[in-house]
Amino acid sequence: MPKLELISFDLDRTLFDFERTLNEALQAVTVFLAAETGIVVSVNQLHKRRNDLSKTHRGRSMDMLALRRESFASFVSERSNRLEIIDGAMFTFAEVRFKQLHLYEGAERVLRNIAKTYKLAAVTNGNSDPEQTPLAGLFETIVFSEECGFQKPDTQIYEVMMSRAGIECSATVCHVGDSLIEDIQAGNNLGFATVWFNPYSKHNETGIIPTYEIAALNQLSRVINSHDS
């Protein structure tokens, strides 16, 4: 078995507490809208409107921030200064969503330790940028689905990652993620070692078998070392 060269990571729900940051960003938007327009809307309503709009765009390519903007716009459609309000809502959202990312406990320490021995990569369908966090500079390669044109679980996004990182043998890659389909099955299909991050002890009913399973990120170094021993 060849030694690992590259450890790749999903971002949201694997390294970042996505729900916490997103809810904080949407809460900031509700405060902005109430203060600037008197519009009272809940975080749940903002979630639902965005998800409903996403369904109408299914099958079409659309920038995620453009979709978020459209969801905010739908609440202020009758306002004479709607563009100013929408711009303000988006600015408020972005200030929290992209500048106040919450890392899971131990994530920075674990990645800094692993980076002493292996190349690191990130591959994501989202738009959380690790370069805006204490992880800045740790990743050899960061692949966003929006910019490369492929979306997990399509294995081509991982092939882009390997190409950019200069990795030729898929057996030298270990991918870590929380999604059995997008991360584990896709990685298995390419011959990666796979690590399922399962902090809530979810029952695996899919038949998709990860190489390893961890409940906390501080278990990752041990798993990688055991794989290479």
Side-chain angles (χ1 to χ4, degrees):
M1 180 185 298
K3 294 283 188 179
L4 295 174
E5 297 181 53
L6 177 72
I7 314 299
S8 61
F9 293 86
D10 172 53
L11 294 178
D12 291 332
R13 302 183 182 91
T14 298
L15 299 180
F16 301 140
D17 189 342
F18 172 72
E19 277 75 18
R20 178 181 174 186
T21 297
L22 179 59
N23 284 334
E24 289 175 353
L26 293 177
Q27 182 61 45
V29 171
T30 69
V31 173
F32 169 82
L33 290 175
E36 297 296 321
T37 70
I39 295 173
V40 177
V41 60
S42 70
V43 168
N44 286 340
Q45 286 174 304
L46 292 176
H47 272 303
K48 186 176 186 304
R49 187 63 56 84
R50 187 269 183 201
N51 291 338
D52 288 346
L53 287 170
S54 178
K55 293 174 184 176
T56 68
H57 288 283
R58 187 165 292 162
R60 288 181 286 161
S61 176
M62 186 172 188
D63 179 270
M64 283 182 284
L65 285 180
L67 184 60
R68 185 69 65 183
R69 182 182 179 88
E70 185 177 334
S71 71
F72 294 158
S74 68
F75 287 97
V76 295
S77 58
E78 302 301 321
R79 299 277 172 162
S80 59
N81 60 337
R82 64 186 301 270
L83 292 180
E84 177 184 339
I85 296 170
I86 297 166
D87 287 344
M90 285 300 298
F91 177 82
T92 300
F93 176 80
E95 282 293 290
V96 179
R97 172 67 183 85
F98 300 113
K99 296 183 180 180
Q100 297 182 32
L101 294 169
H102 298 288
L103 287 166
Y104 284 126
E105 182 179 357
E108 181 183 359
R109 181 178 66 255
V110 169
L111 265 67
R112 289 194 180 281
N113 182 54
I114 294 172
K116 295 175 184 177
T117 307
Y118 304 95
K119 294 180 178 181
L120 301 186
V123 56
T124 178
N125 287 346
N127 50 7
S128 296
D129 185 359
E131 294 301 297
Q132 303 299 318
T133 76
L135 303 181
L138 286 178
F139 293 100
E140 173 105 2
T141 304
I142 302 172
V143 182
F144 296 97
S145 63
E146 282 190 346
E147 57 88 11
C148 80
F150 305 110
Q151 189 172 55
K152 297 190 295 183
D154 189 332
T155 55
Q156 290 179 91
I157 192 172
Y158 293 98
E159 291 168 351
V160 169
M161 175 193 73
M162 290 177 60
S163 176
R164 292 181 183 179
I167 301 295
E168 296 183 357
C169 176
S170 61
T172 65
V173 178
C174 177
H175 183 67
V176 185
D178 71 294
S179 171
L180 285 166
I181 295 174
E182 294 181 358
D183 298 302
I184 305 308
Q185 185 64 69
N188 288 348
N189 288 343
L190 283 166
F192 296 169
T194 53
V195 180
W196 183 30
F197 178 57
N198 185 21
Y200 303 111
S201 299
K202 295 179 182 176
H203 183 58
N204 182 357
E205 300 177 344
T206 66
I208 299 169
I209 308 300
T211 313
Y212 306 101
E213 179 179 338
I214 60 174
L217 290 171
N218 61 17
Q219 299 170 354
L220 184 57
S221 293
R222 174 181 54 78
V223 164
I224 292 171
N225 290 337
S226 69
H227 185 87
D228 269 351
S229 62

